[in-house]
Amino acid sequence: MVKNRKSSGASRVCWIIAWIFAVIWLIIAIYPFIFMVLNSFKGQFEILKNGVFSWPETFYLDNYVTVLTNGIGRYFINSVIVCAVSLVIILLFSAFAAYPLSRFKFKLNKPILTLIIACMSIPIHITLIPIFKMTTSTALYDTIWGLIGPNVAFGLPVSIFILIGFMQGIPRELEEAAEMDGCSRYRTFFNVIFPLTKPGLATLAIYNGVDIWNSFIFSYTLTQSKGSRTLPLAIWDFQGMHSMNAPMIMAVLTITLIPMLVLFVAFQEKLIEGMTVGAVKG
């Protein structure tokens, strides 16, 4: 009885400490977002007058009106197209590649996996000149379609690597049952394996989606006109036009962040499921 009381008391203390650290971490994580949103509703000189940590005197909506009426819609549409097309290609091709590498044994299995892992270590910046030359030679320079290839190339290796580990945790008895029912390899993949990888695909969608949405270097290198640029460069352009208007920049940042918050909320359950799958077996 005494041991049980001591263990329950110790576990209660551990939970209290964990909750305290969780609350502290939540405050640290959410405060920059609250700071950004509050300052986006201030006037241009209100920050200088009252300080950056003050509450807005009035919720000044002209910052958002100015941002929305100065062509940010085009940047937004370009980002949505580039992100959506890149994600579809990454998720499909990574699933297609991970399936044979995780379920079949053949001679080139380990060399291909080693090559994929090696590709994960390639720095983006050393590829800018070759990618720029390839984009100009294929007449894709200064188009949103020229941004899709590099995003896919850098998103595939880590996506394939993660999905390989995910698919290895799927019981082989499911494939054997499908084969006994007369399913081909293609039907087994699309009807059995692919649906079971949805949590992993949702995790990869958020991981790659955030990376592609915030990608600056490729958009800056491979585009020139405003009609082909994405949202990270909208922040760059608005900063150049309104460098002394900090609340305006905060409004642009808030608008840029909203789609990623929506994506996270939409796939939150799948994300948690994908992160915890395989943690408990039996």
Side-chain angles (χ1 to χ4, degrees), residues 40-87:
S40 68
F41 287 104
K42 294 181 180 179
Q44 181 176 358
F45 301 105
E46 190 176 339
I47 290 180
L48 300 176
K49 185 174 65 175
N50 299 332
V52 294
F53 299 104
S54 62
W55 192 267
E57 294 179 354
T58 58
F59 282 89
Y60 190 72
L61 299 177
D62 285 2
N63 293 328
Y64 287 92
V65 174
T66 303
V67 170
L68 294 174
T69 55
N70 275 270
I72 198 173
R74 186 60 190 175
Y75 294 99
F76 184 84
I77 293 173
N78 290 341
S79 287
V80 170
I81 294 173
V82 171
C83 189
V85 176
S86 299
L87 279 181

Side-chain angles (χ1 to χ4, degrees), residues 137-159:
S137 63
T138 54
L140 292 175
Y141 178 73
D142 201 23
T143 65
I144 60 174
W145 311 112
L147 303 175
I148 295 173
N151 290 329
V152 172
F154 280 95
L156 273 177
V158 65
S159 300

Side-chain angles (χ1 to χ4, degrees), residues 115-213:
L115 181 62
I116 291 172
I117 295 174
C119 290
M120 293 168 56
S121 62
I122 298 176
I124 291 178
H125 298 85
I126 67 171
T127 65
L128 289 178
I129 295 177
I131 289 175
F132 176 80
K133 290 184 175 180
M134 290 175 61
T135 305
T136 53
S137 63
T138 54
L140 292 175
Y141 178 73
D142 201 23
T143 65
I144 60 174
W145 311 112
L147 303 175
I148 295 173
N151 290 329
V152 172
F154 280 95
L156 273 177
V158 65
S159 300
I160 294 172
F161 181 75
I162 292 174
L163 278 185
I164 287 174
F166 192 92
M167 290 184 179
Q168 285 176 344
I170 298 176
R172 293 188 177 274
E173 290 78 6
L174 297 175
E175 280 183 288
E176 294 173 359
E179 291 177 3
M180 291 178 63
D181 290 338
C183 290
S184 63
R185 289 291 185 187
Y186 297 100
R187 287 193 61 189
T188 301
F189 172 74
F190 285 106
N191 295 341
V192 178
I193 302 299
F194 193 75
L196 291 175
T197 58
K198 285 183 179 179
L201 292 173
T203 304
L204 290 176
I206 295 177
Y207 173 80
N208 289 295
V210 172
D211 190 39
I212 295 170
W213 189 264

Side-chain angles (χ1 to χ4, degrees), residues 239-256:
Q239 186 177 2
M241 292 185 293
H242 307 279
S243 58
M244 297 300 295
N245 193 343
M248 186 79 68
I249 306 301
M250 296 293 179
V252 178
L253 292 172
T254 303
I255 293 174
T256 304

